Amino acid sequence: MTDLSTIGAVPAREPRRLRGLRGLQRGATRVRLSLAAGLRVDEPLTVALATTVALSLYFLLVPGVDLAISALFFSTDGFVLAQNPVLRALRKSSSWVMGLMLLGLIGAVLAGLWRGRGRLGGPARRGAVLLAGLALGSGLLVNGLFKSLWGRARPIQIDTFGGPADFTPAWWISDNCASNCSFVSGEASSAAWMVAVVVLMVPAAHRRWALPAVLVYAGALSLNRLAFGGHFLSDILLSWAMTALVLAVLHRLTLTCPRAARRLRRARRQPVGVTG
């Protein structure tokens, strides 16, 4: 028999604790669906991880390559290209270019939040991924962890090139440098990030000319650090690889996996077949 006293009654609001548990359950389901998407050999995350491992092994097994490459820019007068006005202007230009890119990305995110009423989608979400990648990759990983803790002396600081410190290979932790050390390059990380901005934010129609241009510019900024005696080749290449790895992880977690999870959820809701 129906309880007439409940007709027209407003259902009690679900307790906050239960709503929180349901939110956690939905989050766990999304994670499981995302992990079910799997990794492909040609996916950016796989390529970035394999490149980082391969470069690390190479410079650990053949550390003399760093000294040989740096020696190309060294003479009896030191790293003289560090005083070249054109190269110094090139280095300073990166601050302006990065600043403009940051302003553009922040504007894209804010515009996306306004149009989406607090939800990010399309260019705004990609912009947020790039901003997070700069903070986590160039900021936290490169400058906050490696450059502060690894203690690798710069080329201009080692005895091979007239300095007081010893040479240490890539990945070797030492006390030859107290702060702002050589491993890995912060400016090379920023240069790699600029390339990612063009890849993710520039429309395909314009990317065919924008991407080669930014690659040349970012490569010149990175080589500048070699010419100035500020970094070894391994510092630069590993910085590029680590930055790409951080961005690839963020791209997968925030862009690739959610799309794959949505496809899996739609596939589960579709009927397998009709019988009768």
Side-chain angles (χ1 to χ4, degrees):
M1 180 179 295
T2 303
D3 186 359
L4 298 178
S5 63
T6 62
I7 297 178
V10 178
R13 189 174 182 180
E14 191 177 44
R16 181 178 298 178
R17 182 174 61 85
L18 290 180
R19 293 201 304 274
L21 289 175
R22 293 185 187 278
L24 289 174
Q25 289 173 350
R26 287 193 296 269
T29 301
R30 284 195 295 269
V31 170
R32 288 196 299 271
L33 291 171
S34 298
L35 293 175
L39 276 172
R40 301 189 310 273
V41 175
D42 59 342
E43 191 170 334
L45 175 56
T46 311
V47 174
L49 179 59
T51 302
T52 303
V53 172
L55 287 172
S56 300
L57 290 175
Y58 176 74
F59 284 108
L60 282 171
L61 293 173
V62 196
V65 171
D66 273 334
L67 292 173
I69 297 298
S70 291
L72 297 175
F73 301 94
F74 181 77
S75 68
T76 54
D77 296 323
F79 291 94
V80 294
L81 289 177
Q83 306 305 321
N84 185 289
V86 175
L87 296 182
R88 291 172 69 89
L90 173 65
R91 186 185 183 191
K92 288 182 179 179
S93 70
S94 64
S95 299
W96 291 96
V97 174
M98 273 199 68
L100 291 173
M101 286 184 171
L102 280 170
L103 287 175
L105 292 175
I106 293 171
V109 171
L110 293 177
L113 287 172
W114 182 72
R115 287 195 298 266
R117 296 182 180 180
R119 295 177 63 88
L120 289 176
R125 177 170 291 200
R126 295 195 297 273
V129 168
L130 288 164
L131 291 173
L134 181 65
L136 294 176
S138 300
L140 181 62
L141 183 66
V142 171
N143 288 291
L145 177 62
F146 288 113
K147 289 178 71 66
S148 299
L149 301 179
W150 246 247
R152 188 186 199 188
R154 298 175 183 272
I156 201 170
Q157 296 171 328
I158 66 172
D159 51 13
T160 306
F161 303 119
D166 297 325
F167 168 77
T168 51
W171 288 111
W172 282 31
I173 300 177
S174 73
D175 58 357
N176 288 321
C177 172
S179 63
N180 193 25
C181 303
S182 187
F183 187 80
V184 286
S185 173
E187 290 180 53
S189 177
S190 300
W193 179 82
M194 293 180 196
V195 176
V197 171
V198 172
V199 171
L200 289 181
M201 301 302 292
V202 174
H206 304 294
R207 201 181 303 146
R208 58 187 177 185
W209 60 263
L211 185 56
V214 75
L215 281 171
V216 170
Y217 178 69
L221 290 174
S222 300
L223 287 175
N224 231 13
R225 304 308 295 136
L226 275 174
F228 284 19
H231 285 287
F232 295 102
L233 180 64
S234 58
D235 298 328
I236 293 168
L237 295 182
L238 283 169
S239 183
W240 274 66
M242 291 178 193
T243 303
L245 182 58
V246 170
L247 288 167
V249 169
L250 291 173
H251 185 276
R252 178 171 175 78
L253 291 177
T254 59
L255 297 174
T256 305
C257 283
R259 286 196 296 265
R262 286 194 295 270
R263 287 196 297 269
L264 286 172
R265 285 197 295 268
R266 286 196 296 267
R268 289 184 175 186
R269 287 196 295 263
Q270 290 175 355
V272 176
V274 179
T275 60

